[in-house]
């Protein structure tokens, strides 16, 4: 009887251990999880990403996700870093020098965030992943090589960071139609006594986002250019 009980207990123990182990979906991978998270963030924004919704989109159990990620915060970190991968330029003319390199880095950074508008508001709140750290290292190295003093390097980097993030958040959230902008400018015209300068410049009708970003960047880089 003891032998039979021992055998029965062994079988029950095996079933218990099997039941306690989370189901591992061999078709699930970290790459699929991150790519699907990006799709959900693009479609529904930051508040729309939940582990349950992510699992449903993947056709997997929610617990299976935890074989690959620790929690939702790690999913955010990985999704953010994945959309900020730097794309090398095909070629930068020597005549453009360090400014050409910096302009490409920042235009590429802005374009990546505009393709995924949630990223601009998420970036300041997340741990910095390898892609964004690589961007910052390249930017720092380029500015240092151009003659920006070490004492000024952090100021230069954060100034450019703030410019790119601020410009991207503004562009992503400023979603007025042409009719809305025209109506706003008309209201401003009625108040021109109080706001004569911005009414005259037709500020509320200026939707040349790319041109404004590029010219503003030139203003910043003019200030960063070493004075010989």
């Amino acid at each position: 009887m003891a032998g039979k009980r021992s055998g029965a207990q062994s079988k029950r123990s095996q079933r218990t251990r099997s039941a306690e182990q989370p189901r591992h979906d061999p078709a699930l991978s970290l790459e699929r999880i991150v790519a699907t998270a990006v799709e959900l963030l693009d479609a529904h924004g930051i508040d729309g990403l939940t582990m349950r919704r992510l699992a449903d989109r993947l056709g997997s159990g929610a617990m299976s996700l935890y074989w690959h990620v620790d929690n939702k915060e790690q999913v955010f970190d990985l999704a953010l870093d994945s959309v900020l991968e730097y794309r090398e330029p095909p070629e930068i003319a020597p005549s453009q020098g360090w400014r050409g390199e910096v302009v490409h880095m920042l235009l590429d950074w802005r374009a990546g965030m505009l393709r995924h508008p949630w990223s601009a508001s998420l970036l300041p709140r997340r741990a910095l992943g390898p892609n964004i750290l690589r961007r910052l290292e390249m930017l720092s190295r380029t500015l240092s090589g151009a003659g920006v003093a070490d004492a000024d390097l952090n100021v230069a980097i954060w100034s450019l960071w703030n410019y790119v993030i601020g410009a991207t958040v503004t562009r992503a959230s400023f979603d007025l139609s042409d009719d809305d902008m025209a109506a706003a400018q008309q209201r401003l015209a009625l108040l021109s006594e109080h706001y004569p300068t911005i009414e005259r410049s037709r500020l509320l009708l200026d939707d040349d986002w790319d041109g404004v970003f590029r010219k503003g960047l030139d203003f910043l880089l003019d200030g960063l250019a070493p004075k010989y």
Side-chain angles (χ1 to χ4, degrees):
M1 291 294 293
K4 291 184 178 179
R5 282 198 299 271
S6 176
Q9 288 173 351
S10 176
K11 290 180 180 179
R12 283 198 298 271
S13 298
Q14 290 174 1
R15 287 196 298 268
T16 301
R17 286 195 300 270
S18 177
E20 287 175 348
Q21 291 177 352
R23 180 172 60 84
H24 179 49
D25 183 353
L28 200 59
S29 67
L30 185 61
E31 291 74 17
R32 278 192 64 211
I33 291 172
V34 173
T36 304
V38 169
E39 292 174 2
L40 284 173
L41 286 163
D42 287 345
H44 303 288
I46 294 171
D47 293 336
L49 178 61
T50 66
M51 296 299 274
R52 170 58 61 188
R53 178 175 279 178
L54 181 57
D56 289 346
R57 178 68 69 90
L58 288 162
S60 173
M63 291 305 298
S64 294
L65 298 180
Y66 295 103
W67 280 86
H68 303 275
V69 295
D70 294 333
N71 48 44
K72 186 172 73 170
E73 297 307 304
Q74 187 183 14
V75 175
F76 276 132
D77 290 341
L78 294 169
L80 176 63
D81 200 58
S82 75
V83 303
L84 294 178
E85 183 176 1
Y86 179 67
R87 296 177 300 172
E88 297 281 356
E91 186 176 358
I92 294 178
S95 60
Q96 294 182 13
W98 67 272
R99 286 183 70 128
E101 294 181 30
V102 171
V103 166
H104 173 78
M105 289 181 208
L106 299 185
L107 288 177
D108 178 75
W109 185 1
R110 173 177 177 262
M113 289 193 295
L114 286 177
R115 286 193 296 271
H116 309 279
W118 49 271
S119 63
S121 57
L122 195 61
L123 179 57
R125 296 187 286 160
R126 309 309 314 170
L128 300 183
N131 281 325
I132 188 60
L133 289 174
R134 178 172 176 248
R135 285 179 181 272
L136 293 175
E137 172 62 23
M138 292 173 62
L139 186 58
S140 299
R141 188 167 60 241
T142 301
L143 291 174
S144 180
V148 175
D150 286 350
D152 297 328
L153 194 55
N154 287 350
V155 174
I157 295 299
W158 286 120
S159 296
L160 293 171
W161 168 291
N162 291 336
Y163 180 66
V164 174
I165 298 295
T168 307
V169 169
T170 300
R171 177 65 189 97
S173 59
F174 203 95
D175 193 24
L176 294 179
S177 67
D178 290 344
D179 290 342
D180 289 337
M181 288 193 295
Q185 183 65 34
Q186 288 175 357
R187 289 195 296 273
L188 192 58
L190 298 175
L191 300 170
S192 60
E193 179 182 352
H194 302 287
Y195 312 107
T197 308
I198 59 174
E199 193 278 329
R200 185 177 70 250
S201 69
R202 301 176 69 78
L203 174 68
L204 301 185
L205 291 179
D206 190 349
D207 61 351
D208 182 15
W209 298 101
D210 294 339
V212 167
F213 179 84
R214 184 65 180 82
K215 191 167 186 178
L217 183 54
D218 281 337
F219 290 161
L220 274 174
L221 296 181
D222 285 346
L224 292 175
K227 307 299 189 293
Y228 298 107

